[in-house]
Amino acid sequence: MKISRLAYAAYGIALVVIVLDQLTKAWVLGAIDAAHISQIPDGYRIAEVMPPVFNLTYVLNTGVSFGLFGGGAGRWILSAFSVLVAAALAVWATRSNRKLMTAAIGLVMGGALGNVFDRIRFGGVVDFLDFSGTGLFPWIFNIADSGITVGVVLLILDSFLSERRSTVGAAHEKS
């Protein structure tokens, strides 16, 4: 199977998301004076960056994005599911012929794998970006979650744009 430049771009974007995600998590965990992650209480305020709008607050999320379906029992199921999703996205990237779709695939793939590394290492995902002080967004999240969210939004946008292009193209053919 020949891998296109766009597929390599998706893999590169995924790698950037994974690296940024893991580096920021290592930085945050290094800023906390604890011998082991299990000693850090959920909700531990690491730093007040722009109070009350933005803070760095540690939470170990045992669920999926934004704490949904938490509880820790599904650690390995969530990890396996995320790896399968990333593998499916890697294959999809080889068939992608649109730049926006390729970027979206890379973001989701990188986010999924970034969180898998945490689930395997820590039993949950390290979240720390806290915008809950706005009153509009109560979740604490991380770079990987952001990659997944932005990637899904871009996939939806690409779908609309692609549909519009095909509709406009069909209208031009009829004229």
Side-chain angles (χ1 to χ4, degrees):
M1 165 175 38
K2 185 178 181 207
I3 299 176
S4 68
R5 282 190 208 183
L6 282 176
Y8 280 121
Y11 306 151
I13 290 168
L15 183 61
V16 167
V17 171
I18 292 166
V19 169
L20 286 174
D21 179 62
Q22 293 299 302
L23 285 175
T24 56
K25 289 172 182 174
W27 173 70
V28 163
L29 291 173
I32 300 171
D33 187 25
H36 189 268
I37 194 168
S38 64
Q39 297 175 328
I40 309 168
D42 270 357
Y44 178 82
R45 180 67 47 92
I46 301 161
E48 292 184 351
V49 181
M50 291 179 2
V53 175
F54 175 56
N55 297 298
L56 297 179
T57 305
Y58 168 85
V59 172
L60 186 65
N61 176 359
T62 58
V64 293
S65 294
F66 307 118
L68 299 173
F69 312 114
R75 168 187 181 185
W76 297 109
I77 293 170
L78 289 172
S79 295
F81 177 74
S82 296
V83 169
L84 288 174
V85 167
L89 289 169
V91 171
W92 190 13
T94 65
R95 299 182 179 133
S96 174
N97 60 359
R98 297 189 305 272
K99 291 178 182 177
L100 186 59
M101 178 189 284
T102 300
I105 290 169
L107 288 167
V108 175
M109 191 171 26
L113 292 174
N115 282 340
V116 164
F117 294 138
D118 284 15
R119 281 193 190 96
I120 291 169
R121 289 174 49 207
F122 306 125
V125 175
V126 174
D127 289 333
F128 59 91
L129 298 171
D130 180 0
F131 288 91
S132 63
T134 63
L136 301 172
F137 194 80
W139 301 283
I140 299 172
F141 58 101
N142 60 44
I143 301 296
D145 294 334
S146 299
I148 293 168
T149 302
V150 171
V152 168
V153 168
L154 291 178
L155 281 172
I156 293 167
L157 177 63
D158 178 75
S159 175
F160 285 127
L161 293 174
S162 174
E163 187 176 304
R164 183 169 180 198
R165 277 185 231 126
S166 64
T167 304
V168 170
H172 284 291
E173 288 176 10
K174 290 180 181 178
S175 323

